[in-house]
């Protein structure tokens, strides 16, 4: 099994560019209103609802590797390779990395809220209530937490050595329903990528062919040498 042939894993790497844009959107949202009397408590509650709550859900049911949040591969139409990739998502290391990203969002969100006033002229929510800005910030934090987990697991699977047997058997459809969080419309059908063989893997075959030709020619040369040696003995 070669995880690099799964196009969904490559699509999930788009989060590398999406998360910075969402952080910028968070700046513009928070810049539209002044902090309340207890800004620290507001930030903590917003992060807990948006990031921490999402991280707890994803710890129990990791984001499905075949789901792009809005669309997903139909569960009944998934291949054995896709079910094997889904089974690899439940490792403790991936869960810890996901939780680390959610925790890191707290100081980032705190810093953004402290300096968001600099972008007040650019905010599309100028003069909006603080409560509205925090409500909009919650789904942005949840979206970044989801994308962070998919980015982590996609990177881990793409860096996995090809043809390495999975550590656990593929999930059944029933296990997929209960152990993975698969969101989106079931309309995504993508063909596996065709990974060409590298030049390094073709080089040994060419070398073996040349060695075989040399071995095949060698007996003829030996026979000619033997025949010339017999003629020399007869003349002598």
């Amino acid at each position: 099994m070669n995880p690099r042939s799964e196009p969904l894993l490559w699509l999930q790497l788009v989060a590398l560019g999406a998360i910075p844009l969402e952080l910028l959107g968070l700046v513009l949202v928070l810049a539209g209103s002044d902090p309340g009397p207890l800004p620290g408590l507001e930030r903590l509650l917003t992060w807990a609802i948006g990031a921490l709550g999402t991280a707890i859900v994803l710890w129990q049911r990791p984001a499905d590797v075949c789901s792009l949040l809005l669309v997903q591969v139909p569960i009944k139409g998934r291949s054995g390779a896709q079910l094997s990739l889904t089974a690899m998502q439940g490792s403790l290391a991936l869960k810890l990395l996901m939780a680390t990203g959610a925790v890191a969002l707290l100081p980032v969100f705190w810093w953004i809220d402290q300096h968001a006033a600099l972008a007040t002229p650019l905010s599309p929510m100028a003069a909006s209530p603080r409560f509205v800005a925090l409500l909009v910030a919650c789904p942005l934090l949840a979206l970044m937490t989801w994308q962070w987990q998919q980015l982590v697991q996609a990177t881990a699977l793409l860096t996995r050595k090809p043809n390495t047997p999975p550590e656990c058997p593929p999930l059944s459809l029933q296990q997929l329903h209960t152990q993975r969080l698969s969101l989106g419309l079931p309309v995504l059908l993508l063909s596996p990528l065709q990974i060409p063989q590298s030049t390094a893997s073709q080089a040994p075959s060419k070398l073996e062919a040349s060695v075989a030709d040399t071995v095949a020619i060698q007996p003829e040369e030996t026979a000619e040498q033997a025949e010339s040696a017999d003629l020399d003995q007869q003349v002598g």
Side-chain angles (χ1 to χ4, degrees), residues 31-125:
S33 61
D34 296 329
L38 298 174
L41 181 60
E42 293 172 354
R43 296 162 189 160
L44 188 61
L45 289 177
T46 304
W47 169 81
I49 296 173
L52 182 60
T54 304
I56 292 174
V57 173
L58 294 179
W59 182 279
Q60 298 174 348
R61 296 179 62 187
D64 186 10
V65 73
C66 294
S67 170
L68 297 180
L69 192 60
L70 297 179
V71 292
Q72 64 168 310
V73 178
I75 292 180
K76 293 184 179 180
R78 298 188 184 184
S79 63
Q82 290 174 333
L83 294 175
S84 297
L85 291 177
T86 306
M88 300 177 191
Q89 298 177 239
S91 66
L92 181 60
L94 292 180
K95 289 184 176 181
L96 290 175
L97 284 174
M98 183 274 298
T100 302
V103 172
L105 271 180
L106 178 58
V108 172
F109 178 66
W110 200 288
W111 185 88
I112 287 176
D113 192 37
Q114 285 180 332
H115 299 82
L118 299 175
T120 299
L122 303 176
S123 176
M125 301 179 61

Side-chain angles (χ1 to χ4, degrees), residues 31-229:
S33 61
D34 296 329
L38 298 174
L41 181 60
E42 293 172 354
R43 296 162 189 160
L44 188 61
L45 289 177
T46 304
W47 169 81
I49 296 173
L52 182 60
T54 304
I56 292 174
V57 173
L58 294 179
W59 182 279
Q60 298 174 348
R61 296 179 62 187
D64 186 10
V65 73
C66 294
S67 170
L68 297 180
L69 192 60
L70 297 179
V71 292
Q72 64 168 310
V73 178
I75 292 180
K76 293 184 179 180
R78 298 188 184 184
S79 63
Q82 290 174 333
L83 294 175
S84 297
L85 291 177
T86 306
M88 300 177 191
Q89 298 177 239
S91 66
L92 181 60
L94 292 180
K95 289 184 176 181
L96 290 175
L97 284 174
M98 183 274 298
T100 302
V103 172
L105 271 180
L106 178 58
V108 172
F109 178 66
W110 200 288
W111 185 88
I112 287 176
D113 192 37
Q114 285 180 332
H115 299 82
L118 299 175
T120 299
L122 303 176
S123 176
M125 301 179 61
S128 61
R130 174 71 168 175
F131 181 71
V132 174
L134 295 178
L135 282 181
V136 177
C138 285
L140 283 175
L141 292 172
L143 177 60
M144 285 185 281
T145 304
W146 169 284
Q147 290 179 333
W148 170 252
Q149 176 174 8
Q150 291 208 314
L151 177 62
V152 166
Q153 64 191 17
T155 304
L157 292 174
L158 288 173
T159 54
R160 187 182 178 90
K161 293 183 179 180
N163 302 322
T164 302
E167 301 174 356
C168 51
L171 294 181
S172 64
L173 296 183
Q174 181 63 28
Q175 290 175 323
L176 186 58
H177 277 290
T178 59
Q179 300 180 14
R180 298 292 180 267
L181 186 61
S182 186
L183 303 178
L185 299 175
V187 296
L188 191 60
L189 295 172
L190 299 176
S191 301
L193 300 177
Q194 300 297 326
I195 307 297
Q197 294 183 352
S198 62
T199 306
S201 62
Q202 296 176 356
S205 61
K206 294 181 180 179
L207 180 60
E208 292 174 359
S210 62
V211 172
D213 293 340
T214 304
V215 173
I217 294 173
Q218 186 174 0
E220 296 182 1
E221 295 177 353
T222 304
E224 291 176 0
Q225 292 175 356
E227 184 177 355
S228 61

